[in-house]
Amino acid sequence: DSPVTLKILQNWVPRVSHYFDKEHYTYVGHQIVIQESIEHFGAVVWPGALALSQYLESNQEQFNLKDKKVLEIGAGTGLVSIVASILGAYVTATDLPEVLENLSYNISRNTQNMNMHKPEVRKLVWGEGLNEDFPVSTYHYDFILATDVVYYHAALDPLLATMVHFCKPGTVLLWANKFRFSTDYEFLEKLCNIFNTTILAEFPESNVKLLKA
């Protein structure tokens, strides 16, 4: 099947302060308020997160997350993890140590007092301590979610190793990314050599592709 061509819906109202931005989004009937930071790449909402959040909301029959175990790698601000939680998943949101404080804040403020599985926030440095921190015998996920993780090119081999570690038989990887550089396509080629990969949707105005592996 050829990928669906979509637009990223501009369904938020930006509100700016001197130190951080709070962005307002609406997914699955819930208003989500995200605090951003200019200090880290991972503390900004990138277009891939908007694309995947929108797709998960619109394709709940195809990708039913209710009571599924979901791991987000490079969770950043936590938007995708929050949407997955609203859709009923058991979510583990992971990122680098310096991102976790803002990530935890966003997830907590947007999931408190709601009838859902409370997401877990954990440190994950791609390619490091995978067998110790997430042993295969204990941790199995139905879905791995990743958005705009391909931008820091020195980390691409550890990223691929991390995807391989978590993707076991029956696991579905959903990866949305803004394609900017030739190295992005080189990573996609490596992914296709390892996984059965298809493009689910493309967002031409933002150069975002959404892939299933």
Side-chain angles (χ1 to χ4, degrees), residues 57-83:
E57 176 186 38
S58 303
N59 293 272
Q60 296 179 48
E61 290 188 7
Q62 183 180 4
F63 298 106
N64 179 10
L65 299 187
K66 185 171 176 56
D67 296 330
K68 298 296 195 300
K69 293 183 179 179
V70 171
L71 175 75
E72 185 179 7
I73 58 176
T77 62
L79 177 63
V80 173
S81 285
I82 293 164
V83 172

Side-chain angles (χ1 to χ4, degrees), residues 17-28:
S17 79
H18 295 295
Y19 300 104
F20 54 77
D21 294 345
K22 286 186 178 178
E23 302 278 5
H24 295 237
Y25 305 85
T26 302
Y27 290 106
V28 205

Side-chain angles (χ1 to χ4, degrees), residues 9-127:
L9 302 178
Q10 307 294 314
N11 62 348
W12 73 93
V13 179
R15 300 187 181 180
V16 181
S17 79
H18 295 295
Y19 300 104
F20 54 77
D21 294 345
K22 286 186 178 178
E23 302 278 5
H24 295 237
Y25 305 85
T26 302
Y27 290 106
V28 205
H30 293 267
Q31 187 180 54
I32 301 169
V33 182
I34 295 294
Q35 175 174 295
E36 295 186 321
S37 167
I38 60 173
E39 295 179 7
H40 305 292
F41 283 127
V44 176
V45 176
W46 295 100
L50 300 176
L52 183 53
S53 295
Q54 180 179 322
Y55 197 86
L56 291 174
E57 176 186 38
S58 303
N59 293 272
Q60 296 179 48
E61 290 188 7
Q62 183 180 4
F63 298 106
N64 179 10
L65 299 187
K66 185 171 176 56
D67 296 330
K68 298 296 195 300
K69 293 183 179 179
V70 171
L71 175 75
E72 185 179 7
I73 58 176
T77 62
L79 177 63
V80 173
S81 285
I82 293 164
V83 172
S85 296
I86 294 171
L87 290 170
Y90 292 92
V91 176
T92 302
T94 67
D95 213 311
L96 296 170
E98 59 266 27
V99 180
L100 295 187
E101 183 178 358
N102 192 60
L103 172 60
S104 298
Y105 173 80
N106 282 328
I107 286 181
S108 176
R109 72 167 294 160
N110 286 286
T111 60
Q112 62 184 354
N113 304 321
M114 294 181 66
N115 184 24
M116 62 174 65
H117 308 303
K118 298 305 177 188
E120 180 184 12
V121 176
R122 291 190 60 178
K123 179 191 77 170
L124 174 60
V125 181
W126 298 338

Side-chain angles (χ1 to χ4, degrees), residues 186-197:
E186 291 169 9
F187 181 87
L188 174 58
E189 185 177 355
K190 289 182 179 179
L191 190 79
C192 291
N193 288 336
I194 297 173
F195 296 102
N196 178 14
T197 307

